[in-house]
Amino acid sequence: MAIWIDGKAQARALRETVADEVRRLGAHQGPVPGLAAVLVGDDPASQVYVRRKGEHAREVGMRSFEHCLPASTPQGELLSLIATLNRDPSVHGILVQLPLPAHIDPEAIIDAIDPAKDVDGFHPLNVGALAAGGEGLAPCTPLGCIRLLQSHLGELTGKHAVVLGRSRIVGRPLASLLLREDCTVTVAHSKTSNPAKVCRQGDILVAAVGQPGLVQGDWVKAGATVIDVGITRLGDGDSRRLVGDVDAACVSRVAGALTPVPGGVGPMTIACLLHNTLIAACRQHGLPDPHDRAPSERLHLTHPHE
Ligand code: NAP
């Protein structure tokens, strides 16, 4: 039977590391990292996420600024708030909770965030930096996946990693991070023919599709490490539950290790957001990056003429 990779424990350990670094900054008269979260509308799940991010930020000693705006907020007003946060020296990280109401163009909002404060790693400059090997901020869920893989496997060099899903927030950036770790990377998606056969090639399989139970036992190589990013809410009331993209009952008989849903990638996403905020604060104050950074976050710029 597969080993369960405990995302809650890994996330707690990362939050403790971040808290230590925040204390160390304070002891050396450094900045208090500040995270601003912007929520537009009253989607209950988004409200929970934003509240939880604020609580965790305060727990690690950061400043948390929460801006909850009505669903009718005009795009221009949201852009003005972003401009204010960009200028505010006590704010080192800005996240805008997605999805936004239909009348707001998410691209315009993401483009308006100062890339140095873009702790979600969605700004085109950060996306480009990740793809090109430059210095940037990488998205939090893929960073969490890399940390979970390293916690179980250590060095990832030479592993064949299959990423199921090619979204901008998970699949694509994760493929770039895995390449940084010197994995051989295959990306599969809804147009891939025979995805089961493709997935079965992976020493590592990451499922990020949003299709409950899509990945069955015969999609997985014996002994593979499987990361289940998917989160789908099923049922109502007392029967309400979260399920992943992996049929855990079948896959746990084949895989070497597997992340649970809930309690796997989810907690790591917020912990990595805090870590990105710490990195952003250090860089904005001309300080070296925190020393514990995972190899894939050390994004060195390589010039073609070097
Ligand atoms: P998304 O934007 O909808 O992208 C889904 C991807 O899966 C697409 O690339 C799609 O292919 C592919 N896909 C869909 N059905 C498929 C199938 N039957 N076979 C192969 N590929 C298929 O979703 P997302 O934002 O990446 O999120 C994916 C899942 O992760 C969701 O359940 C989401 O809730 C969860 N998630 C969790 C966290 C966390 O913190 N744990 C964070 C983000 C997302 P095409 O490109 O061809 O359409």
Side-chain angles (χ1 to χ4, degrees), residues 110-168:
I110 290 167
D111 288 0
I113 296 173
D114 179 347
K117 297 189 177 188
D118 168 41
V119 283
D120 266 335
F122 295 161
H123 188 284
L125 277 184
N126 283 318
V127 173
L130 180 60
E135 185 85 18
L137 291 163
C140 303
T141 300
L143 285 173
C145 294
I146 295 286
R147 283 183 178 271
L148 289 173
L149 287 167
Q150 289 171 330
S151 74
H152 178 65
L153 294 168
E155 186 66 45
L156 305 182
T157 300
K159 306 273 187 218
H160 186 171
V162 178
V163 180
L164 188 57
R166 57 174 168 178
S167 73
R168 285 173 57 183

Side-chain angles (χ1 to χ4, degrees), residues 260-278:
V261 176
V265 176
M268 288 303 287
T269 298
I270 296 186
C272 290
L273 174 74
L274 301 176
H275 197 248
N276 269 356
T277 305
L278 174 66

